[in-house]
Amino acid sequence: MSYEQPDERGHFGPYGGRFVAETLMGPLADLERAYHEARRDPAFQAELAQDLRDYVGRPSPLYLAERLTAQAGGARIYLKREDLNHTGAHKVNNTIGQALLARRMGKKRLIAETGAGQHGVATATVAARLGLSCVIYMGAEDIARQAPNVRRMRLLGAEVVSVTLGSQTLKDAMNEAMRDWATTVDETFYVIGTVSGPHPYPAMVRDFQAVIGQEARQQFLEREGRLPQALVACVGGGSNAIGLFHAFLNDAEVALYGVEAAGKGLASGRHAAPLTAGSGRGVLHGARSYLMFDEDGQIRDTHSISAGLDYPGVGPEHAWLKDSGRAQYVAVDDDAALAAFHALTRLEGILPALESSHALAYAQILAARLGRDAALIVNLSGRGDKDVETVAAHEGGRACRA
Amino acid sequence: MSRIKGTFAALAGRRAALIPFITGGDPTPSATVPLMHALVRAGADIIEIGMPFSDPMADGPAIQMAHQRALAAGTTTRMIIDLVAAFRRDDAHTPVVLMGYVNPVETMGYGVFAMACAKAGVDGVLLVDMPPEEAAEWRAQAQRAGVDTIFLLSPTTSMERLAVIAAASTGFLYYVALKGVTGASHLNIAEVAQRLAAMRRHVALPVGVGFGIRDAVSAAEVGRFADAVIVGSAIVEKIAAGGSVETMIAGVEAFVRDVRAALTRDGDLPR
Ligand SMILES: Cc1ncc(COP(=O)(O)O)c(C=O)c1O
């Protein structure tokens, strides 16, 4: 069965849609139209492909992590090396696409929200390259814990605005970016960093990230002559996961696992796992999806050691994939993610982002369960340089002395 | 005739209606009903009450902080409805409109919410982040309960969408006068007047104008061509100023009285 989502109004079953104030409805329709045309324009696609090759460094390698595989004691663990992209994460696949679209629409100014700072850096990077001005909204708490990325954004010429209301994390940064956009719609292009937000963002960001899975599928087939048993990716808003999954959606024999942040443990309530332990369906940031909220519908504070997963919502397509049973969602806590961070660093010489470490932690468990005949692909969505301070602080310096 | 319809009918051709906005439960739930009565004493024609939400994406700092104060004081959506019911015990006449965001309402359930509103004497509801395209179920439930569904128009609304929005709306339409969030101050009166005139040819309902109206002067100017003038952040800032509840309420009442006087003075200008 072929997969055709979303419908023309941006719905994935009951999820998605366009829940925004009236001021943004016209601009979203304009964006949808422009994206629709660009997709079908061979010149746009050619420029995108060239940038992904020459500027980002694609295709990213598919790497067999032999020592990690040996330690896990089961299925071969392959890493899709999005950490090797220019700017160090999968985020740039999407910002390149949206920036080309912004230029096509004649917009002179890019804005973005960021949590870990990777999307902010990727947006500031493409803004510098295209000569567009750039403002990045970032929660005050995230500014403190992702300081290296804040410095990078400023060096790239972006203005980083600290968001001090609410929980001071990704959700509040997104609120503030939406407010900016509503005020400056004429000249501004809002570069959303994940597969959430109002239609057409979830579909558009997915399409730009789908290159991850398209490459991985071909690379794996060339290498192993068959498809992997499973794919594993961390899920914040869900863009690196959707990007990896999409080319495999019609391959029913490939199991899909999205890994959310269990923070201090699902039972503690201090987590960021709307799909695994959320409150059900809700509406935030322009779309209906799984969400974390209280009995009055107020959005709950979240916790994760990784800023990029510290978000109470999730892209609507993941909600749909969960309900349809096509993908499964699990959660990994802070400690397990940290252990996986160290394991990959010491066994493979690769420092993973704390976000990606959640996927690695689950992949080790899954590999053992699947056994030696199987193979799986983990999306190594980003590199961990930005997290060195967080890890050191969390472990009281243990990481540095070890 | 509904209270909203009756209010606009009584004012038609005389002056613009004055619609002050406060966030319910700000600074505490116990202040809300006294504030509502003060607004009526000051000359409010319709009262708009914000239902607090943790993530008010269409609001600027003043109303964001009002939402935070209200939530910190323990205000819930259910409580807002109860506060309107309490107000109704002493005021059967002044229409009350609730303004809020989708998630708390969806969490309660559209049907439950609409029935509770009707029972409490709420006349209309505006859900900021719910355009008509997503509102089929909400409209059905509101209609069944007899609650008006108010939708937004904005400077970015195309003429095609205007027709869709007008068809989904009852009571009145709310024109967002500027591109931006509540509390903004870059209002261009001439531009608003022009757009409103163009839109009016396609809508029969009264059109209220809000966002960016900060004082008696801007209210009077907008009142010359709008059916209603909505004043929010400027009032909420008075509530935020602190002091005793009595002083705060007196300050709000004096400010709203001023705005209303400006509207009345200009009432016989050509409209
Ligand atoms: C390296 C990395 N991986 C994953 C994420 C989570 O986002 P998403 O779920 O959209 O891939 C982030 C977000 O900042 C990130 O920086």
Side-chain angles (χ1 to χ4, degrees):
Chain A
M1 201 193 77
S2 92
Y3 181 90
E4 284 290 334
Q5 296 285 346
D7 68 15
E8 71 284 353
R9 299 271 285 280
H11 294 117
F12 302 85
Y15 304 109
R18 200 173 265 171
F19 292 87
V20 294
E22 177 57 26
T23 311
L24 292 179
M25 290 299 283
L28 284 167
D30 292 345
L31 174 62
E32 184 184 5
R33 213 172 303 116
Y35 175 55
H36 207 69
E37 285 165 17
R39 273 181 81 177
R40 278 161 185 68
D41 179 354
F44 180 86
Q45 292 297 347
E47 186 171 11
L48 178 60
Q50 183 179 335
D51 281 356
L52 290 178
R53 189 188 67 219
D54 300 344
Y55 189 70
V56 176
R58 303 204 71 88
S60 66
L62 185 70
Y63 168 72
L64 174 59
E66 292 188 18
R67 296 189 71 209
L68 187 72
T69 298
Q71 194 206 47
R76 287 183 300 290
I77 300 174
Y78 284 87
L79 307 178
K80 181 60 174 161
R81 297 291 305 276
E82 294 299 303
D83 61 315
L84 294 178
N85 292 342
H86 178 44
T87 70
H90 69 292
K91 297 288 182 186
V92 72
N93 302 327
N94 168 46
T95 60
I96 291 261
Q98 291 198 45
L100 290 179
L101 193 56
R103 193 185 60 188
R104 196 183 159 98
M105 294 176 77
K107 306 289 185 185
K108 298 278 180 266
R109 177 174 180 265
L110 302 184
I111 59 168
E113 82 295 338
T114 196
Q118 287 301 130
H119 175 59
V121 167
T123 304
T125 297
V126 295
R129 178 164 174 254
L130 296 184
L132 305 171
S133 75
C134 183
V135 176
I136 305 293
Y137 291 95
M138 192 167 183
E141 184 183 325
D142 292 339
I143 286 186
R145 62 177 159 169
Q146 303 281 305
N149 275 342
V150 176
R151 279 180 225 120
R152 287 168 82 195
M153 287 183 266
R154 291 192 170 132
L155 285 170
L156 287 159
E159 180 191 345
V160 181
V161 178
S162 173
V163 179
T164 53
L165 274 161
S167 64
Q168 313 194 353
T169 58
L170 182 53
K171 142 181 112 69
D172 310 280
M174 197 150 177
N175 290 338
E176 209 49 37
M178 292 251 184
R179 291 180 188 118
D180 178 319
W181 197 35
T183 310
T184 62
V185 276
D186 294 332
E187 69 269 18
T188 298
F189 189 105
Y190 179 16
V191 184
I192 293 185
T194 189
V195 286
S196 61
H199 181 61
Y201 283 100
M204 178 172 69
V205 176
R206 170 197 73 197
D207 293 349
F208 287 137
Q209 291 292 1
V211 65
I212 301 172
Q214 287 155 8
E215 286 176 8
R217 193 172 183 280
Q218 195 189 340
Q219 289 165 322
F220 193 91
L221 281 170
E222 278 165 14
R223 177 103 185 219
E224 294 245 349
R226 61 179 176 123
L227 291 173
Q229 271 64 36
L231 308 179
V232 184
C234 67
V235 176
S239 67
N240 86 88
I242 284 281
L244 178 64
F245 293 173
H246 231 258
F248 295 87
L249 282 180
N250 293 326
D251 301 319
E253 69 271 33
V254 181
L256 311 177
Y257 294 93
V259 185
E260 296 190 302
K264 305 244 183 241
L266 295 181
S268 73
R270 301 201 56 215
H271 59 79
L275 289 163
T276 357
S279 327
R281 271 178 215 174
V283 174
L284 181 68
H285 293 151
R288 183 178 286 121
S289 187
Y290 280 76
L291 188 62
M292 292 172 54
F293 52 90
D294 69 14
E295 56 286 346
D296 188 37
Q298 309 297 337
I299 309 307
R300 276 176 44 196
D301 280 353
T302 53
H303 167 80
S304 169
I305 189 167
S306 73
L309 303 185
D310 203 349
Y311 181 66
V314 64
E317 191 162 10
H318 284 292
W320 170 247
L321 289 174
K322 176 183 165 81
D323 285 9
S324 71
R326 180 63 191 94
Q328 283 162 274
Y329 295 88
V330 295
V332 157
D333 67 20
D334 288 351
D335 290 342
L338 273 169
F341 173 92
H342 289 301
L344 195 74
T345 304
R346 299 302 294 262
L347 292 169
E348 301 286 350
I350 299 172
L351 253 100
L354 282 173
E355 291 79 14
S356 324
S357 300
H358 287 73
L360 289 164
Y362 187 72
Q364 289 175 283
I365 298 167
L366 185 64
R369 203 169 77 216
L370 290 175
R372 289 178 195 282
D373 292 335
L376 56 82
I377 301 174
V378 184
N379 198 356
L380 192 60
S381 57
R383 67 182 189 215
D385 309 43
K386 69 185 176 62
D387 295 315
V388 169
E389 290 302 321
T390 303
V391 171
H394 195 82
E395 301 179 342
R398 198 155 27 101
C400 299
R401 284 198 309 275
Chain B
M1 197 186 288
S2 79
R3 272 187 286 253
I4 291 177
K5 216 176 195 168
T7 300
F8 280 109
L11 290 174
R14 284 176 43 219
R15 65 168 170 85
L18 174 59
I19 310 184
F21 167 96
I22 59 172
T23 298
D26 171 30
T28 61
S30 62
T32 297
V33 175
L35 260 171
M36 291 171 78
H37 289 305
L39 294 174
V40 175
R41 282 197 303 276
D45 298 294
I46 297 174
I47 295 178
E48 192 167 304
I49 304 288
M51 299 183 280
F53 182 49
S54 52
D55 295 80
M57 274 174 306
D59 286 297
I63 295 180
Q64 283 174 49
M65 285 187 299
H67 283 242
Q68 283 198 0
R69 285 192 297 271
L71 290 173
T75 312
T76 62
T77 307
R78 172 68 67 177
M79 221 180 265
I80 299 287
I81 297 172
D82 292 343
L83 290 172
V84 176
F87 169 78
R88 275 280 169 259
R89 283 199 276 279
D90 298 307
D91 188 327
H93 171 74
T94 312
V96 175
V97 170
L98 299 185
M99 180 164 180
Y101 290 81
V102 169
N103 202 55
V105 173
E106 186 159 307
T107 301
M108 189 184 289
Y110 294 118
V112 174
F113 174 78
M115 290 312 286
C117 281
K119 194 156 164 265
V122 171
D123 299 280
V125 175
L126 195 177
L127 297 177
V128 180
D129 52 347
M130 180 175 268
E133 286 87 340
E134 302 286 354
E137 193 199 335
W138 157 237
R139 282 177 56 207
Q141 298 292 350
Q143 193 173 15
R144 178 170 339 158
V147 173
D148 280 333
T149 52
I150 297 153
F151 288 95
L152 297 171
L153 301 170
S154 86
T156 59
T157 302
S158 65
M159 285 299 155
E160 302 87 80
R161 274 187 58 69
L162 174 62
V164 174
I165 296 167
S169 303
T170 55
F172 65 98
L173 283 155
Y174 185 135
Y175 180 69
V176 175
L178 47 78
K179 291 173 196 149
V181 294
T182 54
S185 54
H186 51 281
L187 191 64
N188 180 334
I189 306 264
E191 195 180 300
V192 179
Q194 198 184 349
R195 282 189 190 272
L196 211 68
M199 290 187 157
R200 251 198 226 288
R201 280 182 237 122
H202 305 271
V203 295
L205 284 176
V207 183
V209 174
F211 282 44
I213 302 172
R214 303 200 46 82
D215 50 29
V217 175
S218 48
E221 285 176 326
V222 172
R224 273 171 218 151
F225 51 83
D227 297 306
V229 171
I230 302 149
V231 184
S233 295
I235 294 172
V236 168
E237 282 162 17
K238 303 257 175 309
I239 294 173
S244 74
V245 176
E246 294 73 32
T247 333
M248 179 273 286
I249 291 178
V252 168
E253 189 175 335
F255 173 73
V256 174
R257 197 181 297 282
D258 235 34
V259 174
R260 167 58 197 274
L263 284 180
T264 308
R265 241 184 345 260
D266 276 8
D268 44 19
L269 286 173
R271 292 169 45 73

